Amino acid sequence: VQLQASGGGLVQAGASLRLSCAASGRTFSDYVIGWFRQAPGKEREYVAAINRSGGATYYADSVKGRFTISRDNAKNTVYLQMNSLKPEDTAVYYCAAKGRFQSVSDHLGYDYWGQGTQVTVSS
């Protein structure tokens, strides 16, 4: 499956952004989708994941209550709604796909990755 992340940009602290992860190539609903982010000089960090049907989600503590992950299998797209953005949310955001909703916070378990979209939050 091919993934393409989009929707990043430059915003002020407190603003909102919605990222999209569009998939093609295989049956989208066969895959668990996760979002990760990586800031300069830091390791890749787990953000959120959603199961195949969209009925289960899982968030990192750092974004819980501010970010919402959702999916539209008819449109082969996963979304990450990001509210109340903080400067520490600044990073390149990646979406990734795997087969099973297990160990979703471990980036090593994902088989497919999108190219990333830059999110910059100014103070």
Side-chain angles (χ1 to χ4, degrees):
V1 63
Q2 291 80 46
L3 303 173
Q4 182 160 355
S6 62
L10 171 62
V11 297
Q12 291 188 330
S16 298
L17 278 175
R18 188 177 79 160
L19 305 184
S20 298
C21 176
S24 62
R26 291 196 178 184
T27 304
F28 179 64
S29 58
D30 285 347
Y31 295 94
V32 171
I33 302 296
W35 283 97
F36 292 80
R37 65 188 182 187
Q38 189 164 19
K42 295 188 176 182
E43 295 186 352
R44 191 161 295 191
E45 177 189 18
Y46 167 75
V47 175
I50 190 165
N51 72 343
R52 299 174 191 177
S53 69
T57 56
Y58 182 55
Y59 297 92
D61 288 343
S62 59
V63 306
K64 200 173 295 182
R66 299 188 298 123
F67 291 10
T68 302
I69 188 171
S70 61
R71 69 190 296 161
D72 185 340
N73 285 341
K75 295 183 178 180
N76 289 353
T77 303
V78 167
Y79 304 98
L80 185 68
Q81 178 67 43
M82 307 186 296
N83 298 330
S84 302
L85 283 162
K86 304 175 182 180
E88 51 263 44
D89 294 319
T90 295
V92 177
Y93 283 70
Y94 300 88
C95 57
K98 63 184 296 185
R100 304 182 69 178
F101 197 65
Q102 291 181 341
S103 301
V104 294
S105 62
D106 182 0
H107 70 278
L108 296 177
Y110 285 79
D111 300 309
Y112 305 97
W113 288 83
Q115 86 289 1
T117 184
Q118 176 71 48
V119 172
T120 304
V121 184
S122 63
S123 58

